[in-house]
Structures are given as structure tokens and as C-alpha cells.
Amino acid sequence: MAAAAMQPFRRIEGQLAYFRAELRITDAQAQPWNAFADAVRAQAERLRQATQQAMAGAAEVGPAPQQMERRIALLSAHLDAMRAVAAAATPLYAALSEEQRRTADELMAEHFRTMRMGMRMP
């Protein structure tokens, strides 16, 4: 279970390379792309650490309120990460052509579908 929880953080560079290639980022779009990619990297690391911390605490059963607080902390980290990535994605999206935006919309929808399928609720 621990390995599965950490899987999303192992291929960040590959995912970014795939998105960049699919979007066909131009030299003129490099600055907003780099800001977006840096935000993704930073938030992925933050979530990796939050997930490790939550998993370490989950090994101990503990009182139900404490278990809920650990879950709230992890969900809050996810929310904060999404907000930071969205803030970096907005200028990138504005710099994209209409065709690139359609591709971005499809990639994001696919990414969120994959996340939902892999998400396990306790």
C-alpha cells in the first residue's frame, strides 16, 4: 500500500515532458511553462512529504479524532497544492493557442479521471 501511495510522485519529470510535448510548447511560451512546471515539481514534493507523514501516522491505529485530523491534514495539503498549481497554470493557459487549450483541456480531464480511479477513501 505504501508503494502505491507514493507512485504518483515517481514520474513527475516524465509527466511534465509528456504534457510539454503534447501541448507543443513554443519558445515564446517557455516562461509560463517553466513557472507551471516548477510549481508542479514543488507541490509534488510537498504532497510526497505529506503522504509519507500521513502513512507513518496511519501505522498506529490511535483514536478516531486523531485519525480524522491526519486525513484532514492530507486533504488540506492536496487542496493547497492544487491551488498553487492552478495559480501557475492560469498564465500558461492564457499563453496557449486555441488548439493548445483544447489539448490542455483533454489532458487535464484525463489526468483527473485517472486520479479519481486511483483514489482510495478510508
Side-chain angles (χ1 to χ4, degrees):
M1 186 165 127
M6 300 310 285
Q7 191 62 30
F9 309 112
R10 295 176 200 244
R11 308 248 190 289
I12 296 300
E13 291 303 322
Q15 291 172 358
L16 287 170
Y18 172 75
F19 287 166
R20 183 179 180 132
E22 287 295 306
L23 290 171
R24 295 184 175 105
I25 297 297
T26 66
D27 289 343
Q29 297 164 327
Q31 190 279 329
W33 167 261
N34 290 336
F36 170 76
D38 288 345
V40 169
R41 287 181 191 104
Q43 295 310 311
E45 178 58 24
R46 184 168 177 256
L47 285 176
R48 185 190 65 73
Q49 291 174 3
T51 300
Q52 278 184 322
Q53 186 176 6
M55 289 171 49
E60 305 165 14
V61 173
Q66 185 179 21
Q67 293 176 45
M68 287 183 257
E69 286 302 318
R70 278 195 308 264
R71 183 67 179 161
I72 289 167
L74 184 57
L75 290 170
S76 293
H78 277 267
L79 178 59
D80 292 345
M82 181 57 68
R83 285 183 172 144
V85 170
T90 301
L92 172 62
Y93 195 82
L96 300 177
S97 70
E98 284 303 315
E99 181 180 344
Q100 288 172 308
R101 286 180 185 167
R102 283 191 297 276
T103 301
D105 295 345
E106 291 171 13
L107 289 170
M108 205 47 40
E110 180 180 305
H111 177 72
F112 287 136
R113 271 193 306 276
T114 303
M115 284 177 59
R116 273 195 306 271
M117 287 187 285
M119 192 176 285
R120 290 176 183 78
M121 297 302 282

